[in-house]
Amino acid sequence: MITGTGNAPDARTFHTAVWSGSEMIVWGGENGIQFPLNTGGRYNPGTNTWTATSTTNAPDVRTGHTAIWTGNEMIVWGGGENGFPFDTGGKYNPSSDTWTVTSTTNAPSARLAHTAVWSGTEMIVWGGQDEFGNPLNTGGRYNPGSNSWTVTSTANVPSSRTNHTAVWSGSEMIVWAGLDESFNYINTGARYDPGTNSWTATSTTNAPDGRSSNTAVWSDSEMIVWGGFDGFDGLNTGGRYKSSTDSWTVTSTTNAPNPRTNHAAVWTGSEMIVWGGQLAGTTYANSGGRYCAQSGPPPTPTPTPTPTATPRVTPRPRPTPHQRPTPP
């Protein structure tokens, strides 16, 4: 079924979306003429209807931000406008259709292309890039109840990176891959424990090759990473990382979807579904695959129907920060 268009938000890309338990909430991004937005909408699949989100006290227009769902609020943070990043954000309550500004006291430095996860009590943001395009290895934990930030430790922290991935394992945030400050596509990562405010490096033995713009999901016992870009080509390889043993298992490439980057992936409770993304050149994909990560022999991906691609205009990359002009 096609989602209804009545009262739908304006067309956009580079936005965020969260699931509230009953509605999908989309926000921010940029429109077809590359103007950033601070509008959004709530989509109810039961009624196939949209309700606009309030703009009163909403964060400034932005793209390249993150959004997480806490159980009763959506928190958006970071991102930027025309390449200049922010250290601001907002909490959106769909029940009252209201926004509350997030504190900037002790907040991480302004950034975009970072990651954010919800720990059950805090939003943890990490990495990304500053206004000059420099990758970062800093972050912070935001407690929405007290509207306060706690800096994440930099002892044993992973190398600076942007366009990486992060998942929450139930007790740790696991970050992996990305583009480092020397423009290398890396296959390193680390586990962050907010309880001890400490980092532990992830093994690189049998880890997938370095990449950025891949996806990562948590399967209840493993992080599964797949696809991405290695600086030359899109990828259709991946791996399963088991944090309890600090070990990697290669994902099968038999019947795997075509190599791609900037795609999407979700965990259903029993399998990972990947879909869309960019193939070679100016080709977008409308195909995907279902990957079953059962124990035992290497699992076999199952292609989704219609494994074809639709040529379209090459998308504009994430905003590239540049030096702010010097005032006269």
Side-chain angles (χ1 to χ4, degrees), residues 165-251:
T165 53
V167 300
W168 177 252
S169 72
S171 59
E172 297 174 315
M173 175 180 69
I174 308 175
V175 300
W176 190 76
L179 190 64
D180 72 10
E181 55 193 3
S182 299
F183 303 102
N184 296 313
Y185 293 83
I186 52 181
N187 71 343
T188 59
R191 309 192 314 265
Y192 174 74
D193 184 337
T196 58
N197 192 27
S198 61
W199 290 92
T200 303
T202 56
S203 171
T204 55
T205 302
N206 294 324
D209 293 334
R211 63 194 66 199
S212 72
S213 302
N214 54 290
T215 51
V217 300
W218 180 253
S219 74
D220 297 327
S221 61
E222 297 174 315
M223 175 180 69
I224 309 176
V225 300
W226 191 84
F229 182 68
D230 66 0
F232 299 97
D233 300 296
L235 303 168
N236 73 341
T237 57
R240 291 158 31 208
Y241 175 75
K242 195 172 187 67
S243 57
S244 61
T245 58
D246 189 30
S247 60
W248 286 93
T249 301
V250 176
T251 56

Side-chain angles (χ1 to χ4, degrees), residues 74-88:
M74 173 181 71
I75 307 177
V76 300
W77 191 83
E81 179 183 4
N82 298 324
F84 294 110
F86 301 136
D87 65 350
T88 58

Side-chain angles (χ1 to χ4, degrees), residues 58-85:
D60 294 331
V61 297
R62 66 191 63 201
T63 184
H65 56 287
T66 51
I68 58 95
W69 178 251
T70 70
N72 54 31
E73 294 177 313
M74 173 181 71
I75 307 177
V76 300
W77 191 83
E81 179 183 4
N82 298 324
F84 294 110

Side-chain angles (χ1 to χ4, degrees), residues 238-310:
R240 291 158 31 208
Y241 175 75
K242 195 172 187 67
S243 57
S244 61
T245 58
D246 189 30
S247 60
W248 286 93
T249 301
V250 176
T251 56
S252 172
T253 54
T254 303
N255 293 325
N258 294 332
R260 64 194 64 200
T261 186
N262 291 316
H263 52 289
V266 298
W267 178 251
T268 69
S270 59
E271 58 186 5
M272 175 180 71
I273 305 176
V274 301
W275 192 85
Q278 186 174 2
L279 306 177
T282 60
T283 303
Y284 283 6
N286 66 349
S287 60
R290 302 185 343 248
Y291 177 78
C292 181
Q294 78 273 11
S295 59
T300 300
T302 304
T304 55
T306 318
T308 58
T310 304

Side-chain angles (χ1 to χ4, degrees), residues 64-150:
H65 56 287
T66 51
I68 58 95
W69 178 251
T70 70
N72 54 31
E73 294 177 313
M74 173 181 71
I75 307 177
V76 300
W77 191 83
E81 179 183 4
N82 298 324
F84 294 110
F86 301 136
D87 65 350
T88 58
K91 300 181 294 186
Y92 175 74
N93 187 321
S95 298
S96 57
D97 189 31
T98 56
W99 286 94
T100 303
V101 176
T102 57
S103 171
T104 55
T105 303
N106 295 324
S109 58
R111 65 193 63 203
L112 47 77
H114 53 287
T115 52
V117 301
W118 176 247
S119 73
T121 57
E122 297 174 313
M123 174 181 70
I124 309 175
V125 301
W126 191 82
Q129 62 190 50
D130 65 16
E131 66 179 297
F132 304 109
N134 300 313
L136 303 167
N137 70 345
T138 56
R141 306 191 329 252
Y142 175 74
N143 184 317
S146 59
N147 192 28
S148 61
W149 287 93
T150 301

